[in-house]
Amino acid sequence: MASSEVDTAKPSESSAGSQTVKVDTGEDWRRLSPIAIAYFTLRSIKNMAQGAIYAVPAIAVTANINDSIQSPITLLSIAAILIIFFSSGVVSFFMYRFRVNNQHVEIHSGVFSRSYTNLPFWRIQNVKIELPFYYRPFGFALVVLDTAGSAGEEAKIVAVPLAYAHALRKQVLAEHQDHKFVEDSEDSSHTTRGAAVANADSAVNSAVNGAQSNRYSETNEDGETILNRRSITDIVIHGITNNRVWIFLGAAAPFYDNAFGYLSEWLAEKGLQLNQLVGEQTIAWWQFGLYAFVMLMMAMAVVALISIGGALFTFYGYTLSRQHDRYIRRSGLLNKQEVSMRASRIQVISAKRDWLDRILKRVNLYFEQNASIGHSTNELMSPNRLIVPSVTEDEADELSQEVMPQSKIRRSDYQSISKRYILHWVIAGLSIPFVVGTGFGIYIEHLDITAGVTFVSLVLLGVIALRWWRWGVASDDKYIYVRRGRIGVDYLCFEPYKVQQVVVKQSVFMKRRKLATVQFVLASGAISVPFLPESYANELANNVLFEVESKRKSWM
């Protein structure tokens, strides 16, 4: 017999250090809070919108949007669709059951396609707590249980009290804490030693940087050490340097005609007619250029504001903390999110800098776990990636050494790839389009086509040259480092013993020049460095394989 609500009638206790965790257990199946109806309804609307967005341009071309929206039939159709979605949410709510029993989370869900999920605590890698804005006033949360770092391996307990969500998270983490020494004692000593080095580095760097550093030494009520906070200024900088508004602009393309119509009417009220600006002998070319420049700046300002708003919604109240062997990230303005990741499972540290990041001396730091195959990654939602947005260079170094002690990504001894990388792409990628394009322009006597093809080819050649200049690899006794990029620069750092496969590849032409490409395959994805000296590539591969075979450390 199923209970009608989530309660704490049958607690089980597990100790994590000095804390006692209480979570419901028992054989009774439990029902979610009725607030889950809102979640199921909005999820259905979101899924429908994602599929229908591709049909928006066709609808916009063949129909008058304003007249269609005002049509009674359209309004009735929208109301009927909303009623259907709400009814679907109600049915999904009644069909959902879960229980926590004998260190297992079990879930029955689905309407037409019923599913049963059984997750032992030891299989759960990450526990993410989400607080949608419509949950927060009522004190409820959504718990996402991730087993392999990919969206296809997630299980969700959709609506439980926030205190229950935190208790469940603590009990799952306590299960891992109790067993973390069993599988690999050497890995445990490595983690402890790394934490000690990181704490020492933290103390030194904090003394040096003083108020300029965003690292903190306080401990919160859950016994977590706060490693980093992001201020509103930092988040605004992140919004400016990491613009995601182009997705929004692309989705709004069908409404551009109406927008330009409103803009023309507004400018006409101010005494400025756009059709007169482009007329012959109406306005000087420099005045037209000035008008175009001002309008471009206004458009860019709007784009920047939208991007900053998105960053504030995503990263407001950002904190990164450490509790035992886990890193925990919390952020979000309306939808509060919490993601945790075990330190030993972090595969790669990525420090990424676009051209604007370089000007502002900022770095976007990523701690990456497993690749989400077949699913798009999202800075906030991804359970396999922790991002620390727009940190300073010193903060990036501190946090990198916190996760991978004694690592040094900004180093000067990178082995550059061969200049034949440029020649390869000139011959394989640019030569044929350049010859065909310029030849066609000369044949039809349009030198502007020839000039355009030449200009584009020179730009692409410059990009290839920058790519060659950035790409390199380095290593020391503990880590392998990769540098790459075009306008910006990205740095990657990983531990050799976590490499799952090493591939050394050579084409016929590369073999003649004694060059090779080395590829490292990790759980987070493949990292390749092409056109290295053959001897260096083989030495690097042999060192990694020796590290894997000799140490046999466990990072799972």
Side-chain angles (χ1 to χ4, degrees), residues 411 413-415 472-476 479-483 536 540:
R411 51 197 302 133
D413 59 343
Y414 281 95
Q415 169 70 48
V473 62
S475 63
D476 55 28
Y479 305 103
I480 293 179
Y481 310 89
V482 176
R483 181 189 64 198
Y536 185 86
L540 201 59

Side-chain angles (χ1 to χ4, degrees), residues 262-274:
Y262 292 135
L263 177 62
S264 298
E265 293 177 2
W266 181 79
L267 292 175
E269 294 177 357
K270 306 299 181 182
L272 185 62
Q273 298 288 342
L274 292 179

